[in-house]
Amino acid sequence: MNVTAQFKRLALTPQEMFETWFGSGLQLCGQTIIMFVLTLRCIIKGQIDWSEVWRQCYFIGVNSFVVVAITAVFTGFAMSLQIARELVLFGADTAIGGVVSLALIREIGPITAGVMVAGRVGSAIAAELTTMMVTEQIDALTVMRIDPVQFLVVPRYVAAMLMVPLLSIYAMFIGLLAGINIAHIAANLPPETFMDSVKQTILDRDFTVHFIKAGINATLVIMFSCAIGLHTRGGAEDVGIATTRSIVWTMTMIFVFNYIVTSLTYAPR
Amino acid sequence: MVVGRPSEKSGNAPMIEVVDLWKSFNGRTVLKGVNFKVWAGETLAIIGPSGCGKSTILKHLCGLLTPDKGEIIKRSDEIGLVFQSSALLNSLTVGENLALGLRRRKLSKREQSEIIMEKLKLVGLADYINTYPPQLSGGQQKRTGFARAIVNDPKIILYDEPTTGLDPVMSTIIEDYIIELEHELKAASIVVTHQLSTWSRTADRVNLMFAGNMVWEGSPTEALQSEDQYMKQFAHATRQGPMAAGKV
């Protein structure tokens, strides 16, 4: 069945399909921005439940350390292998450490941590909040005059802002260790030479950009997941849809914003 | 449209007054000019077939929905709502669920514990204070939701299908709580239900809803003996009558 036939079966023209998709996307972006503003307002007012923040830190951060480490190790292996292979051909093997570390600190570290947190934490948050909506738990909070944003979103956001930068820097170091190993095995490059190259290449600004990206990733994951969770109604099927939607949106936005930050900070002048 | 006798109690202003309430969802009108009043110490049962707009009224009363047209006058902002699904937060223990209702009162830990224990004793769940909701039976969850709704001694208590899905013994226990609370708290209560035993035992007045309107009002005894075509069909659960399937 071709695409037009499929649209006809769904009783939607391609234009209607695009309008529905675009409209819901635009609506979600609006809901996410409003949620972000409401969250910041609570934080500025000091309405933070710190015991819940620590609980969320454990869930978001500590429970993600293993998956982030595994992803970072294999990313470091693959990247170092590719870079080593090419640079050795040009006799520039002493630059392997610098190139690997630049890629890790500027792009791979924040993206690896962001994507893993989006997959593991963002989806769980969207599923949890949607279930709470469907089972009237959010209504119960509202009746008790408890602000759902203050109660549910603020602790998750504060915890993510603390833990995602930590995970990003952790992913970078794990990737770097993997890179040192592979460079040693594949290009016979001593770890000392690798580290000398790293020290000569990395600037303080790279760390600043790294933490900016990590903070943006934390914001995207929590705000999109919470906005999707707190605006979904329906039944069990909608919990699944909300979870998928959260992963798709947060991961896409991580890559989009990663490019925006990179272009603003590293574009040639 | 209000049919039947309004049971006004002389002298006191009603605790809840709903005037010409209208609400539509996606072009479908669910409430079509609903009017009623409830006084302190009185229990009003809103009965009717599923989908006729009963729960929508409760959501308006507790502020979860805003009317398209009409007015809701409440003499107290202290409202307790017992949800049909209990709506307990699964990540919190029974005690913590009750403590949620006390957050804004800035009480000490000891004062909070005392109130929580008092309410849990009232519903026979004092031993379950540290238990998580998924570990409770349906009846126990309902009773926890009940305790949470009354933790602030509200002046208005709303019950959304409080006995639906419970066995007859547990239904009777819940009905007894509703009666007990009416006497103890002197609260204005609204019970939304279609369970005959619940409205006939707990209510002082009964309003029958059909297709977004109040079509009959009277006491439970009058309801059971009524010759009104709507009330008769609903009270005697017959297929013949104006409330045919699909007309809701």
Side-chain angles (χ1 to χ4, degrees), chain B:
Chain B
M1 179 176 65
V2 177
V3 181
R5 310 179 284 109
S7 68
E8 294 197 21
K9 295 180 176 178
S10 56
N12 300 326
M15 191 64 100
I16 304 167
E17 195 172 351
V18 172
V19 185
D20 195 28
L21 184 66
W22 288 77
K23 184 72 182 178
S24 298
F25 295 106
N26 302 322
R28 193 173 82 89
T29 308
V30 178
L31 300 178
K32 301 171 183 170
V34 172
N35 295 280
F36 64 85
K37 295 172 184 174
V38 190
W39 280 262
E42 183 188 39
T43 301
L44 169 74
I46 299 176
I47 61 173
S50 299
C52 70
K54 306 185 297 287
S55 296
T56 309
I57 292 179
L58 288 196
K59 286 186 175 172
H60 277 91
L61 289 172
C62 59
L64 293 172
L65 291 174
T66 46
D68 294 341
K69 192 184 148 196
E71 203 180 355
I72 297 165
I73 303 157
K74 292 175 280 186
R75 305 265 178 262
S76 171
D77 285 332
E78 207 58 73
I79 298 175
L81 173 61
V82 179
F83 285 84
Q84 183 178 357
S85 59
S86 303
L88 302 171
L89 272 72
N90 290 337
S91 56
L92 304 180
T93 63
V94 165
E96 288 165 347
N97 264 284
L98 265 70
L100 282 177
L102 299 169
R103 275 166 76 105
R104 65 195 149 81
R105 281 175 60 184
K106 311 265 183 253
L107 300 168
S108 68
K109 286 258 179 215
R110 202 175 60 84
E111 286 170 319
Q112 274 198 17
S113 304
E114 279 171 10
I115 295 172
I116 290 166
M117 197 43 90
E118 179 200 334
K119 301 303 176 192
L120 285 177
K121 275 181 186 162
L122 189 74
V123 295
L125 290 173
D127 294 339
Y128 293 85
I129 189 164
N130 293 319
T131 309
Y132 286 88
Q135 295 168 295
L136 300 173
S137 69
Q140 288 170 329
Q141 288 188 13
K142 203 76 129 182
R143 281 147 66 195
T144 308
F146 204 88
R148 189 178 64 181
I150 59 165
V151 77
N152 281 314
D153 295 332
K155 294 292 165 208
I156 297 170
I157 310 178
L158 311 172
Y159 303 90
D160 190 5
E161 309 274 12
T163 54
T164 302
L166 298 180
D167 63 73
V169 176
M170 189 49 68
S171 293
T172 308
I173 292 170
I174 295 287
E175 286 157 17
D176 287 344
Y177 289 145
I178 297 172
I179 298 165
E180 222 174 281
L181 277 178
E182 186 195 322
H183 294 136
E184 228 175 76
L185 297 177
K186 299 279 175 238
S189 309
I190 297 178
V191 181
V192 158
T193 183
H194 44 230
Q195 304 278 98
L196 192 143
S197 73
T198 305
W199 60 261
S200 62
R201 284 195 67 215
T202 60
D204 298 305
R205 265 187 313 130
V206 176
N207 270 6
L208 174 65
M209 254 192 110
F210 179 65
N213 284 316
M214 296 291 188
V215 293
W216 190 91
E217 183 178 334
S219 70
T221 317
E222 288 167 340
L224 294 168
Q225 294 164 357
S226 174
E227 286 301 316
D228 175 84
Q229 54 175 344
Y230 289 99
M231 195 62 237
K232 195 173 177 183
Q233 187 191 358
F234 193 80
H236 298 284
T238 56
R239 291 185 65 177
Q240 282 74 39
M243 291 192 275
K247 281 191 177 180
V248 173

